[in-house]
């Protein structure tokens, strides 16, 4: 059983399109995150949710909108995709806001 | 702003060599500390964590880390690396009260067989 699963694993799309990435965790964790990893492997937090409530929203363009329908899911919707959005996006969950994080396999987004 | 520094960006070692990767953070209060490993093409996995207690923490795969509060450091060590340790290593910090993971820029380790 995959603890944190993301779909799709790869996403290639044209500039201007809207796309979504889904994330589900079956660990019973209260906290979920979205991270962006750029081509230099730098990891930056984008959003953090606790019990479906947004806790952290870093300086992310409002083209990015997270949605948490329940504690086990945190989806990421991106409008009007730009070339600079190309990166690997990781979903993660943790048992508490300060606990160790479990990461999904990542979604490699390529905007052409 | 709080930050995490990993000064070694690329490290190349031969098998059986000893490893020490540096991690420093800039915050004077209570922190939780982590090391994660990312094998090529894979997701991040937790190696070890420090919340409190014994500052010498043992993790998986023979890794350990030492928290030195006075130096704001949490260096990762392994006495004898293997080819399979080739990966990217990330130090991370959660500062109490902020609920935000701050990751270092990562250290790329290559172990030569």
């Amino acid at each position: 059983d995959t603890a944190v699963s993301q779909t799709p694993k790869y996403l290639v799309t044209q500039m201007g399109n809207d796309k979504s990435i889904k994330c589900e965790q079956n660990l019973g964790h209260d906290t979920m995150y979205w991270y962006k990893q750029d081509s230099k492997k730098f990891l930056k937090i984008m959003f953090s949710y606790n019990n479906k409530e947004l806790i952290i929203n870093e300086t992310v363009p409002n083209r990015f909108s997270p949605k948490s329908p329940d504690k086990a899911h945190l989806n990421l919707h991106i409008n009007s995709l730009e070339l600079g959005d190309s990166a690997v996006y990781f979903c993660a969950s943790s048992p508490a806001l300060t606990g160790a994080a479990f990461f999904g396999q990542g979604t490699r987004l390529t905007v052409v | 702003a709080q930050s995490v520094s990993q000064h070694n960006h690329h490290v190349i070692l031969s098998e059986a060599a000893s490893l020490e990767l540096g991690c420093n953070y800039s915050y004077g209060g209570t922190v939780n500390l982590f090391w994660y490993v990312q094998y090529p093409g894979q997701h991040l996995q937790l190696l070890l964590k420090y919340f409190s207690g014994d500052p010498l923490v043992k993790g998986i795969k023979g890794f350990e880390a030492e928290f030195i509060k006075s130096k704001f450091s949490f260096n990762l060590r392994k006495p004898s690396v293997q080819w399979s340790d080739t990966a990217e290593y990330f130090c991370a910090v959660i500062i109490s009260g902020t609920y935000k993971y701050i990751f270092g820029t990562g250290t790329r380790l290559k172990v030569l067989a």
Side-chain angles (χ1 to χ4, degrees), chain A residues 6-73:
Chain A
Q6 296 177 228
T7 53
K9 193 171 179 182
Y10 300 95
L11 185 53
V12 181
T13 188
Q14 291 187 323
M15 279 174 54
N17 282 351
D18 303 339
K19 290 293 177 186
S20 292
I21 307 172
K22 295 187 176 181
C23 178
E24 176 182 4
Q25 54 98 0
N26 61 6
L27 297 166
H29 290 166
D30 290 336
T31 308
M32 294 185 74
Y33 309 86
W34 276 108
Y35 284 87
K36 180 180 179 180
Q37 187 176 45
D38 63 23
S39 58
K40 294 184 179 177
K41 299 286 190 178
F42 183 62
L43 264 170
K44 187 166 183 205
I45 190 167
M46 299 173 69
F47 301 103
S48 171
Y49 269 72
N50 188 53
N51 281 320
K52 303 193 299 173
E53 186 180 333
L54 180 65
I55 301 296
I56 292 170
N57 179 352
E58 287 295 288
T59 51
V60 177
N62 57 16
R63 298 181 294 105
F64 290 80
S65 54
K67 284 191 172 48
S68 182
D70 55 57
K71 268 183 12 173
H73 295 84

Side-chain angles (χ1 to χ4, degrees), chain B residues 6-63:
Chain B
Q6 292 181 242
H7 303 293
N8 317 104
H9 297 296
H10 291 92
V11 173
I12 301 175
L13 295 172
S14 298
E15 273 195 316
S18 64
L19 170 73
E20 180 157 4
L21 301 182
C23 172
N24 288 88
Y25 61 95
S26 61
Y27 182 71
T30 304
V31 294
N32 291 345
L33 297 150
F34 308 84
W35 274 98
Y36 287 87
V37 60
Q38 186 177 27
Y39 297 104
Q42 294 191 27
H43 63 291
L44 279 82
Q45 301 170 46
L46 181 69
L47 268 182
L48 47 77
K49 61 187 178 188
Y50 173 79
F51 287 178
S52 63
D54 188 344
L56 185 61
V57 180
K58 299 217 182 282
I60 60 170
K61 307 188 182 192
F63 286 91

